[in-house]
Amino acid sequence: MSTARAAKIEPLEIITKSGVQVFSVELATTEEEKTTGLMYRKELPEGKGMLFDFSPAEEVSMWMKNTYVSLDMIFIRPDGRILRIAENTEPLSTKIISSRGLAKGVLEVVAGTAKKFGIQPGDRVAHPLFNGR
């Protein structure tokens, strides 16, 4: 059982209608990091998360296999705008959760975060991964 942490932790901001929310995110860039994601973790503190890099943008499919914490999955377009949010995902489920469009990144945060901060599709994510290309 691997509980490897992604190598890099960086700040990420989401600009919503009600203000800016700042998160501290682990970056998942390698195939191993993206495959493992947040599996086997028993908790994910508020304000923390994992950002998956799917450069170049693609139709992304995620799942909750071996993931014990319910998450909000925020699918992000190459221009940094939020494409879709899958809220309150079901722990340990193998059901596929699709981006339903081209996504360059996926931000996973603890379930309830999107609702709590009013994060919605169309909101902008500020992080070097999304440079408008």
Side-chain angles (χ1 to χ4, degrees):
M1 177 167 81
S2 169
T3 54
R5 299 287 199 265
K8 217 168 171 192
I9 296 181
E10 299 181 344
L12 175 146
E13 296 179 347
I14 300 179
I15 297 89
T16 70
K17 287 176 183 60
S18 58
V20 177
Q21 298 304 320
V22 180
F23 297 89
S24 176
V25 298
E26 297 173 52
L27 218 47
T29 55
T30 68
E31 282 309 308
E32 183 183 10
E33 287 168 346
K34 288 190 277 190
T35 300
T36 305
L38 293 170
M39 286 182 177
Y40 309 112
R41 304 211 193 164
K42 301 290 191 208
E43 61 181 28
L44 179 63
E46 188 172 292
K48 306 283 187 201
M50 182 172 280
L51 178 63
F52 293 77
D53 180 351
F54 286 103
S55 301
E58 60 183 86
E59 179 93 23
V60 175
S61 295
M62 308 287 282
W63 66 357
M64 293 289 292
K65 183 177 181 182
N66 299 320
T67 306
Y68 298 101
V69 180
S70 180
L71 303 170
D72 284 353
M73 291 184 186
I74 301 173
F75 296 90
I76 308 159
R77 299 189 321 223
D79 67 358
R81 296 276 173 195
I82 294 174
L83 171 68
R84 170 174 188 251
I85 303 172
E87 295 186 56
N88 304 306
T89 57
E90 182 185 344
L92 306 176
S93 171
T94 55
K95 188 179 115 197
I96 298 298
I97 301 163
S98 169
S99 59
R100 298 184 191 154
L102 296 180
K104 185 173 183 179
V106 179
L107 174 64
E108 291 184 343
V109 291
V110 69
T113 298
K115 185 174 208 152
K116 179 175 183 178
F117 296 115
I119 299 168
Q120 299 176 339
D123 287 347
R124 194 164 64 79
V125 176
H127 182 273
L129 178 62
F130 311 105
N131 54 13
R133 292 197 188 109

